[in-house]
Amino acid sequence: MRLLAALAPVALLVAAPPLLGCGGAPATDVCAGAGVCGSRYCVAGRCRPPSDLPSPIDARRVLLPPADLAVIAEDGGAAAAPGVPDAVALGHAGAGDVVLLLRFTPTFGVDADIASAFVLLEPAPLAPPAERALTLEVARILEPWRSETATWGRQPRLSIPEAAAIVRRRPATPLRIDVTSLVRDWARRRKDDHGIAILAPGSDAVGAATSMGISQGAGPLLEVYVR
């Protein structure tokens, strides 16, 4: 499979850039801009207090490509069959609900102090924006799966999904989906932990076109801040 050959599980260690946001509501609320979080701030897709830095200055940034990746759709389109399309319109009503399955091979030890972790999704170049803001959900994958055989009818069981990010119409910038709690759980070596699922309900006439990294763009990445 071309994608998996290109995405070897090699970590990139780089200096941790600041994650900027504005605005602030309870720290668990997802957000997408200023004026929605009350006295808190909207940083990396979550309402946070000013003291809660998603990328601490004493942490190193680790970027991991997926060891395996599958896109499955409820109804029709390139994502309905095994394989990975060049781009996926998350939230597009024509495809129904879409599930992005991601499995990563951590390069940090089980005792690592995980400050924060995010799935990064890159918008497809020159794609039209969604008609409205879209809410994405995240869940833990509970059983083994392979991209070669994953379809809507043969998808792995998931934990109860939780709202995790809001895709804004504009500007079309990379999206950070907070998965800190899921990555911290990897240290427990749970037998039913088989990756991360991103869920996009099909509710928009256009959807948010997201690059899968086949011919252009980086595709999904896991960004982890480790102390």
Side-chain angles (χ1 to χ4, degrees):
M1 186 176 177
R2 288 187 301 159
L3 178 69
L4 299 185
L7 296 182
V10 177
L12 304 176
L13 300 185
V14 298
L19 302 181
L20 303 179
C22 52
T28 57
D29 287 357
V30 296
C31 57
V36 297
C37 295
S39 62
R40 298 173 183 262
Y41 294 86
C42 184
V43 183
R46 295 286 180 131
C47 294
R48 308 172 192 269
S51 59
D52 183 8
L53 297 177
S55 58
I57 58 175
D58 61 342
R60 76 182 192 274
R61 183 182 184 228
V62 179
L63 284 179
L64 293 172
D68 203 0
L69 163 63
V71 182
I72 54 178
E74 181 181 16
D75 182 27
V84 179
D86 195 28
V88 177
L90 297 176
H92 181 213
D97 295 348
V98 172
V99 180
L100 176 60
L101 303 176
L102 300 162
R103 182 167 59 245
F104 299 95
T105 302
T107 58
F108 40 83
V110 295
D111 296 326
D113 183 2
I114 306 298
S116 56
F118 306 89
V119 171
L120 302 184
L121 297 180
E122 185 177 81
L126 304 178
E131 289 192 347
R132 58 175 182 242
L134 303 172
T135 299
L136 302 184
E137 299 175 320
V138 66
R140 189 162 54 90
I141 303 174
L142 300 178
E143 58 188 10
W145 59 278
R146 293 187 302 127
S147 56
E148 293 85 354
T149 58
T151 63
W152 187 260
R154 299 182 61 184
Q155 58 180 295
R157 290 185 302 110
L158 306 177
S159 65
I160 297 175
E162 297 180 354
I166 297 175
V167 184
R168 292 185 294 178
R169 292 187 66 251
R170 294 186 184 277
T173 56
L175 177 69
R176 281 184 169 91
I177 302 175
D178 195 323
V179 293
T180 303
S181 61
L182 299 183
V183 174
R184 285 176 177 166
D185 281 347
W186 291 353
R188 303 178 186 178
R189 296 183 175 179
R190 300 174 63 161
K191 293 182 179 179
D192 62 350
D193 201 337
H194 297 278
I196 296 171
I198 307 298
L199 298 87
S203 59
D204 189 81
V206 180
T210 304
S211 172
M212 292 295 105
I214 300 297
S215 63
Q216 57 185 340
L221 293 170
L222 180 65
E223 177 185 51
V224 186
Y225 290 89
V226 185
R227 290 191 178 96

